[in-house]
Amino acid sequence: MTEQDIKPGKSQRIAFAMQGGGAVGAFQAGVLEALHEANVEIDACCGSSIGAINAAIYFGNTPSRRIDRLREFYDRVSVPGTAMPDQMLAFNGATILGGDDFRRVLAEADQSYAMSAGLPGFFTRRLAVPWTNGTGAPELASIMDLSPLYRTLESVCDFEELNRSGTHVSVIATNVATGKAHYFDNRGGRLVAPMIVASGSLPPWFAPVQVNDEWYWDGSLVSAAPLHRLIETAPADVETTIFRADLWTPDGQVPDNVSDAEIRQKNIEHGSRAAAYHETLDESHRLKSLLAYALNCIDPAQRQSDPQLMNAAAIASVKPIRMVPMDYESSQQGSHFKDGQFSPAAIKTHWSYGREAAKAALERMNGTA
């Protein structure tokens, strides 16, 4: 499944899959901005964690307000640097530390600040953390309190707009009791703030969220590639082009310091899981094509009368789906930014890379690159 000869248009269906990745999710905001500027209409979207938040904000606003609301969200949850403000990046050539070393130190400082003090508009540190003693209250079983995120979402996302949107929006959460993926969406139900928060509640930092008597954690725990829902709900009679905005990549350099080792570890963990899903998807498509070929070698009368062959024909049916990667190929490797680093410089960098990735993909699709 490739992006060959695909052109966005009303003759086909457009879907968007958005992976989780903390602050790196600003990359997806950049992708959305580029798609918005290109007037690409998205028919379906599935997001996990920060991808769910991005989806809720984008589709939970009228088109004219979508990008402004995304920017407002990242402005609200970002901090102006800690021990060494972002402005010092302009002078790092004059410091003892080189550019790469400086960014590593800055990444550690910003991430440590977020994990110790919290982020405005996102989460705060709990004064009392139930490390070992049970409280009977799962909503308190975390290091951080996500109450600020609820207030931010209510400000930047119009949930009425989200639920009447023409785009089928799904978000993934993990059922804590069963360990299975659960999809909340704006079709046949209603998306509300707790469902979005649940999709991004990664333990042990964040507590599970209760929705309809069940408890849910971050969707990234069970799905590193939020594609299954989009493929499952894709129609069989219309071509669906799926834009994929993965935030992690399994490919990268061997790190020579602890800071880069942590970044590399997360890229391998999440990127390899997503890659495994894509490989399985491609293999499934190949096997279905082979099965369809084999069935065509059998007499039509027998195919239509034998129940087993009829079942095989149904399995061999392949939906017209093509994948267009708009992935974060450098995925922090060049900038040393971390997923918990919500500084303006990090957000701006990720956002810019997202715009570039989307524009390059659209140019390929339109045959101009």
Side-chain angles (χ1 to χ4, degrees):
M1 291 180 279
T2 66
E3 68 267 32
Q4 294 178 356
D5 302 322
I6 308 172
K7 300 180 187 299
K10 294 184 179 180
S11 62
Q12 68 174 332
R13 192 167 173 272
I14 302 295
F16 192 24
M18 294 193 288
Q19 199 180 43
V24 195
F27 173 89
Q28 294 168 349
V31 170
L32 285 168
E33 183 177 45
L35 295 178
H36 177 78
E37 291 173 352
N39 296 314
V40 175
E41 295 184 5
I42 300 172
D43 300 290
C45 177
C46 186
S48 178
S49 198
I50 192 68
I53 293 174
N54 286 332
I57 296 171
Y58 187 79
F59 297 106
N61 281 284
T62 57
S64 63
R65 305 182 68 174
R66 288 171 172 173
I67 304 306
D68 288 340
R69 286 292 181 260
L70 277 173
R71 290 195 180 280
E72 182 179 343
F73 168 75
Y74 283 99
D75 285 344
R76 286 191 176 206
V77 301
S78 66
V79 291
T82 53
M84 289 172 283
D86 294 329
Q87 291 82 355
M88 290 183 65
L89 284 171
F91 306 103
N92 65 28
T95 65
I96 296 177
L97 295 174
D100 285 349
D101 291 333
F102 184 88
R103 280 189 289 267
R104 290 188 182 99
V105 173
L106 184 62
E108 291 302 319
D110 284 343
Q111 180 137 317
S112 295
Y113 177 86
M115 294 301 100
S116 61
L119 293 170
F122 206 151
F123 54 85
T124 57
R125 182 92 180 192
R126 291 192 187 279
L127 296 178
V129 177
W131 292 106
T132 56
N133 295 327
T135 63
E139 70 273 15
L140 300 179
S142 65
I143 299 171
M144 301 292 181
D145 180 0
L146 279 170
S147 296
L149 178 58
Y150 283 94
R151 295 190 290 271
T152 298
L153 283 175
E154 292 294 344
S155 177
V156 300
C157 175
D158 181 343
F159 282 90
E160 290 299 321
E161 179 71 26
L162 177 61
N163 286 302
R164 64 172 173 258
S165 172
T167 301
H168 182 183
V169 181
S170 302
V171 301
I172 311 172
T174 302
N175 187 302
V176 179
T178 66
K180 296 180 179 180
H182 184 87
Y183 295 92
F184 296 109
D185 62 43
N186 62 351
R187 294 291 185 272
R190 293 180 59 81
L191 283 173
V192 292
M195 297 172 181
I196 308 302
V197 175
S199 184
S201 295
L202 184 67
W205 300 103
F206 308 127
V209 177
Q210 187 175 27
V211 180
N212 299 329
D213 298 324
E214 297 285 348
W215 293 91
Y216 297 95
W217 267 333
D218 195 302
S220 297
L221 293 175
V222 289
S223 177
L227 292 168
H228 181 74
R229 185 70 160 183
L230 298 176
I231 294 171
E232 180 184 52
T233 57
D237 57 346
V238 178
E239 180 181 85
T240 297
T241 296
I242 300 180
F243 294 147
R244 184 190 73 202
D246 284 359
L247 302 177
W248 309 94
T249 174
D251 300 319
Q253 297 180 348
V254 178
D256 59 2
N257 61 81
V258 174
S259 180
D260 285 359
E262 181 185 355
I263 295 174
R264 186 78 196 100
Q265 178 266 327
K266 288 188 176 181
N267 273 274
I268 292 174
E269 177 184 358
H270 297 287
S272 62
R273 290 170 60 208
Y277 181 87
H278 301 320
E279 291 170 2
T280 300
L281 188 63
D282 288 341
E283 179 64 8
S284 173
H285 182 86
R286 188 183 71 84
L287 292 175
K288 286 184 176 184
S289 297
L290 288 174
L291 178 58
Y293 175 81
L295 288 170
N296 284 332
C297 297
I298 300 174
D299 180 72
Q302 184 179 0
R303 291 203 312 264
Q304 296 170 9
S305 60
D306 188 319
Q308 291 293 78
L309 291 178
M310 292 171 66
N311 287 335
I315 294 172
S317 176
V318 178
K319 292 182 179 180
I321 294 175
R322 296 192 182 185
M323 209 75 63
V324 177
M326 296 182 176
D327 302 339
Y328 202 166
E329 294 181 357
S330 61
S331 192
Q332 307 178 71
Q333 295 299 321
S335 59
H336 308 290
F337 290 128
K338 293 190 170 185
D339 54 331
Q341 188 180 2
F342 283 82
S343 68
I347 297 302
K348 181 179 179 180
T349 298
H350 299 318
W351 194 298
S352 176
Y353 275 123
R355 283 180 54 88
E356 293 174 7
K359 287 182 177 180
L362 292 176
E363 287 176 358
R364 291 195 305 271
M365 291 165 60
N366 290 318
T368 58

